[in-house]
């Protein structure tokens, strides 16, 4: 694909045209979602990739080959690439489908194991991920480090049988229900604090693992403090090279920061607004503001698609991914604020599920995390600036 240049930045993004197969796939996903709505599993809520934990739904997706889509067929995946995967998750997120059970496994754990794992790790984990039978969390952030991953204090000491991990990871989504976590820990002291870091696959049911809930303002239990209190990890669960953790993590963040969840988390609320306005006349000013939101959505979507195309081509578009997340998370908040101002309906978390007041309350209670998760906007802008300097 020939590169094009975004008007927002001199950083190049591939020019993307989806193949005809992607349009057929989109129709298949929409038909599946209609079936799931009839079952009552798709509620159209914002933040479904974070808050919609439904392993049964994940397994039904997997039966259709829609989990682990970009993984090679020899490891149980569909071998369809990131652009076709993009179409599937775009439809799922726009519908507010409950995808959080397999989300991290599909988005980044699977690709990380594929790229950095041993053959034994690939043979064990990847088919289970693609079948919707193995769910991962990510153990990166810590209480005193925030988005500064190089300052992690979790230690991994080498033992006769492997490694012993000690430390606490914060904001570990799904650690109370998932099977494994990929944990970043310091294995060696080095003058360069980016050196001496390694990644480990940790069984979340192993002795010494303690999960402490961190509840959202709504009372929901999505995140945790993951305490590793002398957890023994076999040598075979070191992911990648000892001391290569920093490079591996920064490459992994391209998967985490660039997908449709960075601009579609609050999309169901926009759909709800449009349905409400069907019942009453909209003013020209309201329509203009909705049009601005739609234009911003389209722009960020094009950038996000460009990252998916770059991943398909084998690139590591870390800077482009940071730009997508920065713009996308700003849009998430702006969408909620604009919807509130256009239709000043009181938010009510106890209203009828799926109603506009209930969806608005859900989006508002989740909004503090929009510009934090996956790296704060300030950290992202530093990454973008360094990328610009290299151009």
């Amino acid at each position: 694909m020939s590169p094009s240049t975004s008007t927002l930045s001199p950083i190049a993004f591939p020019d993307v045209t989806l193949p005809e197969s992607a349009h057929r796939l989109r129709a298949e996903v929409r038909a599946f979602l209609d079936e799931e709505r009839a079952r009552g599993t798709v509620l159209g809520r914002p933040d479904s990739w974070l808050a919609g934990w439904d392993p049964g739904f994940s397994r039904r997706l997997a039966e259709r080959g829609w989990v682990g889509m970009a993984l090679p067929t020899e490891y149980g995946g569909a071998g369809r690439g990131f652009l076709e995967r993009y179409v599937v998750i775009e439809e799922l997120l726009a519908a507010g489908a409950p995808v959080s059970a397999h989300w991290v496994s599909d988005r980044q754990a699977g690709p990380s194991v594929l790229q950095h794992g041993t053959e034994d790790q690939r043979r064990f984990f990847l088919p289970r991920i693609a079948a919707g039978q193995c769910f991962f969390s990510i153990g990166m952030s810590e209480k005193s480090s925030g988005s500064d991953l190089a300052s992690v204090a979790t230690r991994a000491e080498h033992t006769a049988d492997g490694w012993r991990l000690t430390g606490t990871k914060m904001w570990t989504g799904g650690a109370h229900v998932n099977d494994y976590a990929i944990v970043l820990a310091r294995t060696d002291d080095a003058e360069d604090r980016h050196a001496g870091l390694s990644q480990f696959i940790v069984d979340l049911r192993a002795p010494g693992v303690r999960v402490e809930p961190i509840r959202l303002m709504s009372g929901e239990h999505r995140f945790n403090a993951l305490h590793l209190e002398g957890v023994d990890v076999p040598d075979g669960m070191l992911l990648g090279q000892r001391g290569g953790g920093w490079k591996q993590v920064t490459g992994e963040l391209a998967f985490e920061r660039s997908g449709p969840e960075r601009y579609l988390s609050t999309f169901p609320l926009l759909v709800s607004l449009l349905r409400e306005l069907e019942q009453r006349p909209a003013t020209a000013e309201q329509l203009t503001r909705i049009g601005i939101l739609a234009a911003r959505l389209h722009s960020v979507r094009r950038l996000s698609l460009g990252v998916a195309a770059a991943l398909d081509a084998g690139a590591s578009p870390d800077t482009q991914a940071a730009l997508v997340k920065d713009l996308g998370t700003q849009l998430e908040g702006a969408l909620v604020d604009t919807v509130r101002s256009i239709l000043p309906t009181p938010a009510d978390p106890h209203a009828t599920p799926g109603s506009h007041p209930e969806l608005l309350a859900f989006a508002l209670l989740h909004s503090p995390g929009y510009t934090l998760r996956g790296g704060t906007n300030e950290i992202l802008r530093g990454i973008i600036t360094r990328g610009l300097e290299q151009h």
Side-chain angles (χ1 to χ4, degrees):
M1 294 182 181
S2 60
S4 65
T5 303
S6 165
T7 57
L8 299 175
S9 163
I11 301 171
F13 284 79
D15 187 16
V16 182
T17 300
L18 290 173
E20 184 60 35
S21 61
H23 299 297
R24 292 194 297 269
L25 179 59
R26 191 182 298 279
E28 293 173 19
V29 177
R30 289 181 178 179
F32 167 78
L33 287 169
D34 286 340
E35 295 173 6
E36 290 293 325
R37 286 190 189 93
R39 297 175 67 129
T41 56
V42 175
L43 302 177
R45 282 208 174 103
D47 252 7
S48 63
W49 65 275
L50 176 69
W53 200 86
D54 185 340
F57 182 87
S58 295
R59 281 189 280 273
R60 289 193 294 278
L61 279 178
E63 288 169 2
R64 289 161 174 79
W66 295 341
V67 178
M69 289 183 68
L71 297 176
T73 55
E74 65 182 295
Y75 298 117
R80 298 184 74 162
F82 288 99
L83 282 174
E84 288 190 297
R85 176 184 177 273
Y86 192 99
V87 168
V88 172
I89 62 174
E90 184 174 46
E91 289 297 324
L92 294 171
L93 293 172
V99 294
S100 68
H102 70 274
W103 188 257
V104 167
S105 306
D106 181 62
R107 180 182 68 180
Q108 63 202 98
S112 292
V113 171
L114 177 65
Q115 182 175 0
H116 304 295
T118 65
E119 188 63 16
D120 284 345
Q121 289 170 352
R122 294 187 191 113
R123 295 288 175 190
F124 182 83
F125 289 109
L126 298 185
R128 289 168 172 80
I129 288 173
Q133 297 173 349
C134 182
F135 305 133
F136 271 79
S137 296
I138 295 296
M140 289 187 187
S141 297
E142 297 186 2
K143 187 173 182 180
S144 59
S145 64
S147 295
D148 183 14
L149 292 179
S151 66
V152 297
T154 296
R155 302 285 306 195
E157 302 291 340
H158 204 253
T159 66
D161 300 317
W163 300 86
R164 181 162 295 150
L165 272 62
T166 305
T168 298
K169 294 296 179 179
M170 301 297 291
W171 308 110
T172 311
H176 57 302
V177 288
N178 289 338
D179 303 302
Y180 295 90
I182 296 180
V183 172
L184 181 67
R186 186 163 295 284
T187 48
D188 301 280
D189 293 317
E191 186 174 342
D192 178 1
R193 66 197 189 111
H194 296 96
L197 297 171
S198 305
Q199 286 186 300
F200 297 88
I201 301 174
V202 176
D203 184 343
L204 290 172
R205 294 171 181 81
V209 173
R210 182 167 61 88
V211 177
E212 178 186 359
I214 301 175
R215 296 193 179 274
L216 303 180
M217 290 191 299
S218 61
E220 296 169 80
H221 179 192
R222 309 294 179 192
F223 293 103
N224 306 275
L226 177 62
H227 301 286
L228 305 169
E229 300 171 338
V231 179
D232 289 321
V233 178
D235 258 329
M237 290 298 103
L238 171 67
L239 179 61
Q241 297 297 315
R242 175 174 179 170
W246 179 256
K247 184 177 180 180
Q248 292 172 203
V249 162
T250 53
E252 184 181 321
L253 288 172
F255 297 106
E256 180 177 352
R257 289 170 170 165
S258 63
E261 71 271 26
R262 298 308 174 191
Y263 64 92
L264 287 179
S265 288
T266 51
F267 182 79
L269 185 62
L270 178 59
V271 173
S272 178
L273 170 67
L274 295 175
R275 287 176 177 159
E276 291 290 315
L277 291 178
E278 288 177 352
Q279 312 302 319
R280 65 195 79 186
T283 67
E285 191 268 343
Q286 289 174 331
L287 293 174
T288 298
R289 298 183 70 185
I290 292 171
I292 291 171
L293 284 178
R296 291 179 65 178
L297 272 164
H298 178 76
S299 298
V300 179
R301 179 178 183 267
R302 294 299 299 177
L303 298 180
S304 181
L305 269 169
V307 174
L311 291 170
D312 248 354
S316 297
D318 306 339
T319 306
Q320 291 92 331
L323 180 60
V324 169
K325 184 184 182 297
D326 183 29
L327 295 174
T329 52
Q330 289 182 67
L331 174 60
E332 285 179 314
L335 193 152
V336 176
D337 292 341
T338 301
V339 169
R340 291 179 74 193
S341 63
I342 290 176
L343 189 65
T345 303
D348 183 358
H350 305 296
T352 303
S355 67
H356 189 75
E358 193 256 355
L359 295 181
L360 178 59
F362 198 88
L364 283 170
L365 289 169
H366 282 238
S367 60
Y370 295 155
T371 59
L372 295 175
R373 56 201 187 196
T376 66
N377 283 26
E378 291 77 13
I379 292 292
L380 294 170
R381 288 165 192 169
I383 294 170
I384 293 165
T385 299
R386 288 192 293 275
L388 290 172
E389 288 172 349
Q390 293 171 8
H391 284 71

